[in-house]
Amino acid sequence: MIGSLFQTAVQSPAHQVEIKEVLTGYMSELPDNYREALTLYYLKELNYKEASHIMNISEANFKSVLFRARQRLKALYNRGVNDE
């Protein structure tokens, strides 16, 4: 689940839903390959090998793309939190 990317201790289910909605909005701001990597790995729960095959890239490259996607998503999330 995308919320697990941040491993936050969220107390209420309503707050969890809010975070998921916010993260989904931020995902739309990511480049296509980042969004695809996050979707395949976290939402479709594919492993590195399966996801890299779908994206037609090496497993090592997939891991790099996924790392950069997480970093970018975290930055967008933190920027949004600091703007509030």
Side-chain angles (χ1 to χ4, degrees), residues 8-19:
T8 56
V10 179
Q11 300 301 325
S12 72
H15 194 227
Q16 290 176 347
V17 169
E18 181 181 339
I19 287 176

Side-chain angles (χ1 to χ4, degrees), residues 48-49 51-53 55-65:
Y48 294 131
K49 184 176 182 177
S52 65
H53 178 74
M55 290 183 69
N56 199 30
I57 59 177
S58 71
E59 196 171 325
N61 194 5
F62 177 80
K63 289 176 183 180
S64 295
V65 170

